[in-house]
Amino acid sequence: MKKVLLVDDSISVARQLEKILVESGDFQVVGQGKNGLDAIKMFQTLHPDIICMDMNMPGMDGITALRTLMSLDKTVKVVMITSLGGVGDKFNEAIKLGAMNVISKPFEAENVLKILRGL
Amino acid sequence: MAVKFFGQFLVEQGAISREALLKAIELQESVNKSIGDIAIEMGLMTQADVEQVNLAQRSEDLRFGDLAVKMGFLTSEALQKALQKQSESHLYIGKAIVMTGGLDAEQIDQYLAAFKADQSLYATDRVLLPSELKHQPLWEMMADLSYKMLTRVARLTFRPVPCEIVKRLEDFHIIAAMDFTGDVRCRYVFSASEEVQTQVAKAILSQEEVSHEPKEVLDDTVMEFINVVCGNIAAKSVQQGIALDILPPELLTSEGGIDIPAGYTGLNFPICLADGKASITIIIYP
C-alpha cells in the first residue's frame, strides 16, 4: 500500500482526499500538513511515496515547497491539487519543477485515484 | 470539472506524458517572444528601454505594453503593430506538441474537440452590470463563473438578483473573502446565511448531514468553496488576457456590516434562494 502525505490548509479538502484514498484500499494517509513548511518537515520524517499538495497556502506556498522538496530528493513524487491548476503559468511552473501532475479543483475522486495509481 | 488549459487537459486525460508536455513547452518558450523582445526586433525600442519598463513594472501595476506607452517608449500604434506580430507568430501548445512528436495533428484535433466540449460548461454568459466599468468583461465573468460554481460545486438552486453598486457589505452569518493581485486588484467576497453555509458544507464534504460538524469545519468549507471559485476565475481571466493571482481565503468579522472604503467600487450580486440568502460582492480597488 502506497504511503501518501496530504498538504492543504483546508481541513475540508484534506478530509475529502483522505476519504477517497483510504476507501480505495490502495493508499495509506501517513500525515497531513497545512503549509509548505509542514510538507518539507513531514517528508523528512514520514518518508511518504506520494505527496498531494495545494499551491495556494498561507506561510510557505506549494510551489516554494515543491522547489525545496525536489532539491532534497529528485525522486519524490508530488502531485499538486489546486484551484489554480487551470492557470497555464502555474501549471507549467509546477511541471517544470518536477511535479508528476497537477489536478484542478474541484476534482473528481476517480480522476485523483487514476492519477495516483499511475505513479 | 474545472477551468483548464489545453496542455493540462491532455496530461490529465493521459493523452501525453508529463515529459512530452515539457518538451512542447520548451519549444513554445523558445519560439514565443515577449512584447519587449518583439519591440526590439522591430526597432521600436532599445534593450535599455525594455529594462527601464521592466524595472518600472515592479512599482506600477500595468502590462508591459501599456506601461511602455505611458512612459513614452512606444506610441499606441507601434504597440498595436508589436502585439499583432506577437499574435501572428504565436506557437500554440497543440501545434508545439505535434512538432515535438507528442501526438499527430489528427489526434490533436480530436482532443481539441473534446477539450472544447469539456470547457463549454464554463463559457461566459452575459451578466448585466449597473454602469460602464473598466475591465467590464472580467466582472461579468467573475459573476457568471460564481453562479456556475454555486450550481455545480455547492449544488444550490437559486435566482440571481441584478447587480447593484453598494457602499457597504451587509451583515451575514458568514463572510469569506479572497484577494486578487496581478493585472487587476480586487477583493472577492462571498456572504452567506446559516442555511446556505450548511448547503455549501454538505456539498464540499460530500456528506448528507453536517449538523455534528464543528464551526471550524463548516467555516472552512465556505473558504474552500471561494478558493475553488477564485482559482477558476484566475484560470479563466488568463483567457481574457488578464493575469490574476490569488491570496489564501480569510473570514471577515462583521458587526452590523462592513463599509467599503471611499474610492473603491463595490459590485454586489445578491442571490435569492428558497431557504436562506447569499451574496457575491466584488470590491474593485481604485
Side-chain angles (χ1 to χ4, degrees), chain A residues 34-107:
Chain A
K34 286 192 166 296
N35 56 45
L37 206 55
D38 286 351
I40 294 160
K41 285 181 192 165
M42 295 169 96
F43 167 69
Q44 289 169 312
T45 54
L46 300 170
H47 309 292
D49 300 305
I50 299 167
I51 301 175
C52 292
M53 182 161 62
D54 191 11
M55 273 190 196
N56 184 33
M57 296 181 285
M60 187 190 285
D61 65 36
I63 290 287
T64 309
L66 175 63
R67 195 175 287 119
T68 307
L69 286 165
M70 296 311 294
S71 69
L72 290 171
D73 181 354
K74 279 196 164 41
T75 64
V76 59
K77 288 178 174 156
V78 181
V79 173
M80 307 301 285
I81 300 186
T82 171
S83 64
L84 287 169
V87 180
D89 288 351
K90 297 271 183 189
F91 178 93
N92 290 353
E93 191 179 9
I95 293 285
K96 279 185 195 168
L97 283 172
M100 301 303 289
N101 214 321
V102 180
I103 301 174
S104 287
K105 289 179 185 175
F107 50 76

Side-chain angles (χ1 to χ4, degrees), chain B residues 94-109:
Chain B
K95 195 168 179 195
I97 290 167
V98 173
M99 287 167 77
T100 50
L103 289 171
D104 63 37
E106 198 180 323
Q107 288 170 315
I108 278 289
D109 286 346

